[in-house]
Amino acid sequence: MEVSFQSAIGTLNDSTAALVCLLATMRSDFALVLTAALLLDSVWRNNGEHATKGPCRAGFSQSFYSVLISRDVLQGRGIHKDTTVSSQKVKFDDCMGNKAVVFRSSDPNFSVRTDGSIFAQGEGASLDEPVQFKLTASGPHTQVWETVVQLALIDLPSPQQNENEVTDEEGKVAETKERKGAFQAPPSVIMFSGSPVNGSKGLRRQKRDWVIPPINVAENSRGPFPQMLVSIRSDQDQDISIRYSITGVGADQPPNEVFNIDPVLGKMFVTKPLDREHRSSYHLRAHAVDMNGNQVENPIDLYIFVIDMNDNRPEFKNQVYNGSVDEGSKPGTYVMHVSAFDADDNTTANGMVRYRILSQTPHSPIPNMFTINSETGDIVTVAPGLDREKVSQYTIIVQATDMEGNLNFGLSNTATAIITVTDINDNPPMLTSRTFSGEVPENRVDVAVANLTVIDADQPHSPNWNAIYRIVSGDPSGHFTIRTDPVSNDGMVTVVKPVDFEMNRAFMLTVVVSNQAHLASGIQSSLQSTAGVTISVQDVNEPPYFPTNPKHIRFEEGVPAGTSLTTFSASDPDRLQMQQTIRYSKLNDPADWLSINRTNGQIITTGMLDRESIYVKNNIYEATFLATDNGSPAASGTGTLQIYLIDINDNPPALIPKESQICERMNRNVNGVNITAADADTDPNAGPFVFELPSFPSSIRRNWTISRISGDYARLGLRYQVYLEPGVYEVPIIVSDSGNPPLSNRSLIKVKVCPCDENGDCTTLGAVAAAGLGTGAIISILICIIILLSMVLLFVVWIKRREKERQTKQLLIDPEDDVRDNILKYDEEGGGEEDQDYDLSQLQQPDSLEHIISKPPGVRRVDERPIIPESQYPIRPVVPHPGDIGDFIHEGLRAADNDPTAPPYDSLLVFDYEGSGSTAGSVSSLNSSSTGDQDYDYLNDWGPRFKKLADMYGGGDED
């Protein structure tokens, strides 16, 4: 029986194991389902042994191992010491080869070897009841890992068995059914520590030192709910009434009411589907109390593990991944990495993701240019032939599947990987022609004379494509350079140094082009990267040039006009094809001292050269001349002549200072005035100077003395015990320079002689006296100043008084200035000569108004003052200083218009009557033409206003 069972296991494959599992599920047979699951797991693990392992994760492969041992395998034999209990092994890896790992078991009867096999440690070990123990693994670094191992015997069921019955201590049968693909072990009874063992076969007791086995619950169970998990019993429930309760997360702590317990029967239930991805385990505590709430048993720990189901697809971190690889890469070159995450348990097949490539676009050069590591997700090349110039980008569809890549049971997802083939410099630049040509005018720079075109298959505007041109021969003097056009990559041959037709009529250049980046290894440069460039030089009319520019010559100043200084000639560079004549002219001669011969360039003086002229700087006189050829068009060049003028003694010295002052009585501490001289000449025609007093007049040497201080300074002073009146004295001094022959100059110095204080300084009064004014004159000046100030003060007082009187007047017109008793002349023309017989007496104001009163009503002169009571008007405000003159005038006009007593009294004057005629006769008889002896020439002297009359009458006879 043992042999046939092992053979059956060896012949199972994935499909067979899955079929057995499905058949067991349909028959609701727990033992068969469990056996099929173990077989399926064994098959999957055997199939995945050859897969490439991912990153190492230290620890046990599972947190709970449930090992089922067939009774047929043991064949009724007992378990002896060191006997291997099962072929199934506990898997552990510390990522360092498990060399120093030690396993320790909490059960003295069973343990695990270093290879993971389970064996019996002592005699008499029995598996009549399930055995559970804690297994710990300790490494060399004091780290400890734990897991729980459960051993149980199992009888292979017969095909006719549909139910698994377990009888409890009350003789009842508990039935467990398989529902919708999820199976559950029959509920077990957990006894509190110290409880006696009931003789019923279906019951088991919890030993005091045993570890309570975890309760495994599959996630996403479809119920029905509540679903019973386990029964909790106390051996004292036969004597007293016991109440059971559970505490912990999922019971009385959030999330609440996931688990509950029947307080009387002790049956614990799960009330809803569990989600391992939300919470993978629960830790509860079971309590037993009596009716008074007193603790009957010590609390026990319950561990509930949520068994993972494959309910989550792998999810890629990105839907699109971008990677790159150099063209020409060898097989096995790393390209990029993709990764997917599965929320399921990664220690089981549900969360173990495997990768594969579904498609590649394009298929060139072969459909499978890349491969992917199924466990790590690294994409590498598997074939040569990557060429960016043919295929610059690949699109790869990557699939991630859990269940260790099992396409029949695993869930899948896809992502896109875009691989860009990056450029390398595997294509050298190639010139489009082996020869190029151009031409350049001589003496021109910064002009492009030829254009070199090139082609390059590498990526444009990259270092692999950018062209660099070099001239390797034909230009030893460096007249040309080649600049690269950044847009077209063409080479522009540019002149950087002027070329001369008379020196080189043509250039034959050899040009080599290369890339900015070096060629990839194994790529040879093409012959088409070298070309010849022919540059022809065009002759142009070049301007004449002065071989020595500027030209320096030396001459003494003072040479007379007409002196030939030098010949300043120019040369014409156009000596091969053009025979031209040069003409000279003067361009700049600041002092107008020079002239140049037009044909030969001889320089002749036209004036005397003077070194002391303002046009001479640092003894050098500079003039500029122009040389022009007769080419078409004409060209000209300039030359500068610099004449260094040698000094001669042609300027006498002058005395400095021109004025000074000295005390009227000599003080021994103050010896006199220091004087020196200035000379426009330079050494040796300047100092040292000689200072002398003239012999005539004799009073000069009698009153004054001069003494030498140094070669350039002397001191002038009064002779001892000589007293001079304060005033200004002109003292002549003869100054001579050191020229050969020396030049002398008689200069006058004005010396003010004044009284001095004890410090030798002129007093203020003394300075005035020294200017020629006596004490009486000074007093007279002060009195005049006082009188002038008094007159100004009196005038100001008089002005203010007049202003005050004017402001106190209330009438617009002063009574003293009344015009009614005066004859006013209005310049009216009247009625001519017949209008002169009027009685002037009528214009006089009568002394009394009686004759006016005696006149009959209605007869009155219009210019008489009306006999009515004068109206009283308010006095106009006195505005001493009106702010606006216009307002002041309008105010006075309004007051006069409203005053009926003010003259004139509504007079009516007639101005348009001229009379009936004149006794003088007509003036038309006068003849305006002048035929007599009248001379009107004097009108010319009357100014521009009479110029027209002078032209009309003073011009003589008419033409």
Side-chain angles (χ1 to χ4, degrees), residues 822-871:
N822 296 290
I823 298 177
L824 303 178
K825 184 178 180 181
Y826 294 98
D827 294 334
E828 71 273 6
E829 296 181 1
E833 294 180 356
E834 296 180 357
D835 194 21
Q836 303 298 324
D837 52 350
Y838 51 82
D839 187 5
L840 296 179
S841 63
Q842 299 297 327
L843 298 177
Q844 300 295 329
Q845 175 67 30
D847 295 335
S848 66
L849 301 177
E850 296 179 356
H851 67 287
I852 299 177
I853 298 175
S854 62
K855 287 185 178 181
V859 180
R860 179 178 299 277
R861 284 194 3 225
V862 296
D863 59 343
E864 290 181 354
R865 183 171 182 164
I867 308 302
I868 58 175
E870 295 184 359
S871 301

Side-chain angles (χ1 to χ4, degrees), residues 719-899:
R719 289 189 177 275
Y720 188 65
Q721 294 182 349
V722 172
Y723 171 78
L724 293 179
E725 289 290 336
V728 178
Y729 296 87
E730 292 184 351
V731 180
I733 298 176
I734 300 174
V735 184
S736 303
D737 58 20
S738 299
N740 187 18
L743 294 180
S744 300
N745 184 20
R746 180 186 177 99
S747 300
L748 290 177
I749 179 172
K750 293 182 179 180
V751 181
K752 295 180 182 179
V753 178
C754 60
C756 298
D757 54 16
E758 62 275 6
N759 297 323
D761 298 327
C762 260
T763 61
T764 305
L765 185 62
V768 175
L773 297 178
T775 304
I778 295 174
I779 295 175
S780 301
I781 292 174
L782 295 177
I783 294 175
C784 292
I785 293 174
I786 294 173
I787 294 174
L788 180 61
L789 293 176
S790 301
M791 294 178 63
V792 172
L793 180 62
L794 291 175
F795 180 75
V796 172
V797 172
W798 180 78
I799 290 296
K800 289 186 176 181
R801 182 177 180 183
R802 290 284 298 173
E803 183 68 23
K804 185 176 182 180
E805 292 176 354
R806 184 178 301 174
Q807 293 176 1
T808 56
K809 293 181 180 180
Q810 299 180 359
L811 297 178
L812 181 64
I813 302 176
D814 196 306
E816 298 178 359
D817 298 331
D818 196 349
V819 298
R820 287 176 295 181
D821 295 336
N822 296 290
I823 298 177
L824 303 178
K825 184 178 180 181
Y826 294 98
D827 294 334
E828 71 273 6
E829 296 181 1
E833 294 180 356
E834 296 180 357
D835 194 21
Q836 303 298 324
D837 52 350
Y838 51 82
D839 187 5
L840 296 179
S841 63
Q842 299 297 327
L843 298 177
Q844 300 295 329
Q845 175 67 30
D847 295 335
S848 66
L849 301 177
E850 296 179 356
H851 67 287
I852 299 177
I853 298 175
S854 62
K855 287 185 178 181
V859 180
R860 179 178 299 277
R861 284 194 3 225
V862 296
D863 59 343
E864 290 181 354
R865 183 171 182 164
I867 308 302
I868 58 175
E870 295 184 359
S871 301
Q872 299 298 323
Y873 295 92
I875 300 175
R876 288 179 293 165
V878 178
V879 184
H881 298 286
D884 192 316
I885 299 302
D887 294 340
F888 177 80
I889 294 175
H890 288 300
E891 180 67 22
L893 178 62
R894 184 181 63 79
D897 291 341
N898 295 331
D899 187 1

Side-chain angles (χ1 to χ4, degrees), residues 685-726:
N685 298 319
F689 300 103
V690 177
F691 302 90
E692 296 178 319
L693 293 175
S695 301
F696 182 84
S698 60
S699 60
I700 298 301
R701 293 193 175 185
R702 185 173 60 250
N703 296 330
W704 303 90
T705 180
I706 191 168
S707 60
R708 179 185 177 90
I709 297 177
S710 65
D712 295 329
Y713 292 93
R715 180 172 290 112
L716 175 67
L718 289 172
R719 289 189 177 275
Y720 188 65
Q721 294 182 349
V722 172
Y723 171 78
L724 293 179
E725 289 290 336

Side-chain angles (χ1 to χ4, degrees), residues 87-109:
S87 61
Q88 299 184 35
K89 296 181 179 181
V90 176
K91 293 185 178 181
F92 176 81
D93 189 1
D94 67 347
C95 301
M96 294 185 293
N98 298 346
K99 295 181 180 179
V101 177
V102 177
F103 294 107
R104 292 183 177 87
S105 172
S106 62
D107 193 318
N109 295 320

